[in-house]
Amino acid sequence: MELPNLDKARKRTKNKVEEINYELNDLYKNIGKNKTFYVKTYGCQMNEHDSENIEGLLESIGFKKNNDMEEADIIILNTCSIRENAHNKAFGMLGRLKHLKEMRPNTIVALCGCMAQEEVVVSEILEKHKHVNFVFGTHNLYDLPRLIYENMHNVKTNICVKSVEGDLVEGLPVKRVSKFKAYVNIIYGCDKFCTYCIVPYTRGKQRSRKMEDILNEVNELKENGYQEVTLLGQNVNAYGKDLDLGYDLADLLEEVAKTNIPRVRFITSHPWDFTDRMIEVIKKYDNIMKYVHLPVQSGSDKILKLMGRRYTKDAYKTLFNKLKEIDGISITTDIIVGFPGETEEDFLDTLDIVKYCKYDGAFTFIYSPRVGTPAAKLFEKDETTLEEKEQRLYRLNELINSYSLESNKRMLNNEYQILVEGLSNKDGMMYGYTETNKLVNFKGNEDLIGKIVNIRIIDAKSFSLDGELVE
Ligand code: SAM
Ligand code: SF4
């Protein structure tokens, strides 16, 4: 049994990252024969992509996907610990699974993802959720076949969570959700240690994949008809810094663009590591999408400092203005309100930066204390009430939504290319995304799914656009 430990997870050394080439042990082949799996995913794109690997691993040992959780032989919860509500959702689901397991005692229930890396979570599971068969951490995905095998031979809860800086595993099987757009990891972990954030503890140190491995993956996707790749990392702009091989995100973006895959995206950008060369490359290649997600978190220099974000409001604005020079660019952001010590004045600074940047969209959150992070200690002395924080969030969202609407309205009557993704929730409509990541609904048929088509915008709302096909 290997239990998580936040103190160990915090450590960073200069030790070389170990590279592992995944190979399936013959012992585990076919252990899932005639059995089915159900994977429930919470959280960010990183988790969504991990679930694609989990499903790939399960299929490689004979399991088949089941869309009905209640009938599956193995249920895996891939969890997120970024905020309290993600946490609560996963525990709520564990409660539901307890009843399910009473009816079907042979069902295997497992938990993985960021919550698995937290001591408090694993202790609670061991104490109160004995129906969980095993827990595996973010560094242990490739252990899944072994854990299932062991579980089939030993019914005790098995905890397999390494609290290490992490290694690099190449060659994991993958079952991609989409046949035309794909996530490609370029960098794992994070060394920024923003004071509110649990990610550097749950995901380990910054580890970049080798450029050749990434390009091989992109080329293979292109050969298989994929239209879009999204290069993934908690902080993609730090790509390559840990490798010392003389290349960075600018070089990688350029090489990925040269594969001629129709659309290249990258997410998430940290303002600290964004260089002028990266901006030049984004400008230079038509197939690099003109869309940047650039979290600002706060507009107050005092709060940015307490958050450990390593930039000031002015430095952020300078970068923002450089990015705005890219023709047709759309920029979105993340903002936290109610960070411990945030006064009304600090909050007004946040509204100010939103007014300055007029973002195309934003994800906004109320600060949520995470055990083990420095800000959680500040939170103990925080005097702002939850009600005040909710009011701030409301005011912020009103402002953000007005700018999203404004930017969408500017698109009216113009033509854009969208990659069609599927049937919309709206009756008889299809949906897709523009190059700048705007959601467009339009009348069309299912043959268009996976294709890039021209659309004229005929109506604009805050969160989506309506369009019509241009022949
Ligand atoms: N690495 C990215 C970055 O630096 O912006 C994103 C990381 S996180 C998955 C996505 C967003 O969650 C962050 O940008 C931040 O706004 C928010 N977040 C992280 N920790 C939080 C916390 N403790 N409470 C509230 N929001 C949080
Ligand atoms: Fe968390 Fe900051 Fe790292 Fe983003 S850059 S993952 S917010 S620590």
Side-chain angles (χ1 to χ4, degrees):
M1 186 157 334
E2 205 167 344
L3 294 166
N5 178 320
L6 277 186
D7 279 334
K8 274 198 202 161
R10 184 180 292 129
K11 292 219 172 75
R12 292 292 184 267
T13 67
K14 295 231 177 309
N15 294 348
K16 206 170 171 289
V17 172
E18 195 190 339
E19 272 194 43
I20 298 171
N21 267 313
Y22 175 78
E23 267 181 58
L24 178 61
N25 184 327
D26 281 347
L27 194 61
Y28 312 137
K29 278 182 187 160
N30 293 325
I31 56 175
K33 199 168 170 216
N34 300 327
K35 293 187 162 60
T36 64
F37 69 82
Y38 182 91
V39 179
K40 171 87 188 152
T41 312
Y42 301 88
C44 66
Q45 294 97 335
M46 229 74 57
N47 266 19
E48 283 174 30
H49 189 39
D50 280 351
S51 286
E52 293 185 327
N53 285 131
I54 290 168
E55 296 201 358
L57 281 162
L58 289 166
E59 288 200 346
S60 74
I61 52 175
F63 284 92
K64 295 238 159 12
K65 189 177 172 102
N66 194 331
N67 291 324
D68 185 352
M69 181 178 82
E70 314 224 329
E71 285 186 353
D73 297 287
I74 177 163
I75 300 169
I76 297 185
L77 304 187
N78 186 8
T79 61
C80 165
S81 50
I82 201 83
R83 282 169 293 275
E84 187 69 31
N85 57 351
H87 215 262
N88 293 344
K89 274 189 210 157
F91 270 114
M93 182 57 108
L94 277 185
R96 247 183 89 187
L97 292 178
K98 189 171 185 184
H99 297 295
L100 196 140
K101 203 142 169 178
E102 279 161 10
M103 321 258 282
R104 305 185 70 223
N106 290 332
T107 312
I108 297 178
V109 173
L111 183 139
C112 67
C114 286
M115 278 172 68
Q117 296 292 138
E118 292 183 276
E119 284 154 53
V120 276
V121 170
V122 174
S123 314
E124 188 169 340
I125 288 176
L126 285 171
E127 259 173 52
K128 298 192 193 145
H129 298 275
K130 296 198 187 322
H131 59 292
V132 175
N133 294 74
F134 61 88
V135 176
F136 58 111
T138 57
H139 303 295
N140 299 81
L141 285 196
Y142 59 87
D143 280 321
L144 181 59
R146 174 177 65 80
L147 288 165
I148 297 175
Y149 178 85
E150 284 177 4
N151 199 266
M152 285 171 167
H153 294 84
N154 164 12
V155 281
K156 272 206 229 120
T157 304
N158 194 348
I159 309 290
C160 183
V161 183
K162 284 196 235 162
S163 294
V164 289
E165 298 182 313
D167 32 36
L168 265 176
V169 186
E170 290 293 341
L172 276 183
V174 58
K175 179 182 162 59
R176 296 192 184 272
V177 171
S178 166
K179 297 262 178 291
F180 48 86
K181 54 185 258 184
Y183 290 130
V184 174
N185 280 322
I186 64 166
I187 181 167
Y188 298 95
C190 180
D191 286 348
K192 289 282 184 280
F193 285 98
C194 301
T195 59
Y196 50 81
C197 185
I198 193 78
V199 169
Y201 308 81
T202 59
R203 292 272 169 183
K205 86 167 168 191
Q206 223 160 258
R207 285 117 56 213
S208 302
R209 285 178 75 197
K210 296 248 168 63
M211 190 181 315
E212 65 195 71
D213 291 327
I214 297 169
L215 292 176
N216 285 343
E217 189 172 340
V218 173
N219 277 316
E220 196 184 317
L221 288 163
K222 189 184 163 231
E223 273 160 32
N224 287 319
Y226 277 78
Q227 302 289 309
E228 179 177 300
V229 288
T230 301
L231 308 180
L232 270 191
Q234 288 298 346
N235 170 16
V236 287
N237 305 65
Y239 174 76
K241 281 187 162 185
D242 53 303
L243 287 177
D244 259 353
L245 289 173
Y247 51 69
D248 65 7
L249 182 72
D251 303 294
L252 177 71
L253 273 179
E254 181 144 38
E255 292 308 312
V256 174
K258 283 187 195 159
T259 64
N260 285 329
I261 191 145
R263 288 179 159 206
V264 181
R265 297 188 185 280
F266 54 97
I267 193 163
T268 296
S269 293
H270 191 295
W272 175 251
D273 295 308
F274 222 122
T275 65
D276 290 352
R277 266 187 72 229
M278 291 171 196
I279 298 176
E280 288 315 308
V281 173
I282 298 169
K283 275 187 196 156
K284 186 170 159 193
Y285 290 91
D286 286 346
N287 60 343
I288 301 182
M289 299 296 95
K290 307 302 179 247
Y291 167 65
V292 174
H293 185 62
L294 191 71
V296 65
Q297 312 297 1
S298 168
S300 148
D301 281 341
K302 179 191 101 190
I303 296 296
L304 285 172
K305 197 156 186 210
L306 286 173
M307 287 177 163
R309 286 294 286 182
R310 309 183 199 198
Y311 53 82
T312 59
K313 176 162 79 171
D314 284 345
Y316 182 92
K317 282 184 182 171
T318 305
L319 172 63
F320 182 88
N321 289 332
K322 283 186 195 168
L323 285 167
K324 270 290 178 188
E325 282 169 19
I326 302 173
D327 207 17
I329 189 126
S330 136
I331 302 178
T332 55
T333 199
D334 288 348
I335 298 174
I336 297 177
V337 301
F339 185 84
E342 183 191 76
T343 60
E344 175 66 14
E345 209 186 336
D346 296 317
F347 175 65
L348 290 177
D349 284 341
T350 295
L351 293 186
D352 265 354
I353 200 148
V354 171
K355 285 177 194 158
Y356 183 88
C357 295
K358 301 186 171 61
Y359 293 106
D360 291 273
F363 296 107
T364 55
F365 315 100
I366 290 181
Y367 167 73
S368 172
R370 308 285 67 217
V371 177
T373 59
K377 293 204 183 70
L378 299 177
F379 181 73
E380 288 166 15
K381 294 183 234 131
D382 189 28
E383 285 174 357
T384 313
T385 62
L386 179 60
E387 204 182 347
E388 269 174 275
K389 294 183 182 184
E390 284 170 348
Q391 269 300 318
R392 284 181 196 167
L393 185 69
Y394 179 81
R395 286 156 67 196
L396 175 65
N397 285 342
E398 290 284 289
L399 189 64
I400 296 272
N401 295 348
S402 70
Y403 289 124
S404 306
L405 182 60
E406 228 175 69
S407 97
N408 284 350
K409 278 189 172 161
R410 281 195 296 273
M411 296 171 73
L412 275 172
N413 303 319
N414 295 330
E415 280 179 31
Y416 298 91
Q417 290 199 323
I418 66 164
L419 172 57
V420 184
E421 296 209 358
L423 284 172
S424 152
N425 292 334
K426 290 166 111 188
D427 259 358
M429 303 282 267
M430 309 291 294
Y431 77 97
Y433 285 87
T434 63
E435 300 198 340
T436 53
N437 213 31
K438 306 256 188 186
L439 171 64
V440 183
N441 294 299
F442 69 101
K443 272 209 184 87
N445 63 53
E446 291 182 37
D447 298 348
L448 298 176
I449 294 175
K451 301 211 167 82
I452 294 174
V453 299
N454 285 331
I455 290 284
R456 183 177 304 105
I457 302 300
I458 53 174
D459 195 12
K461 298 152 202 158
S462 284
F463 305 111
S464 69
L465 298 144
D466 285 343
E468 63 187 12
L469 264 176
V470 180
E471 294 305 329

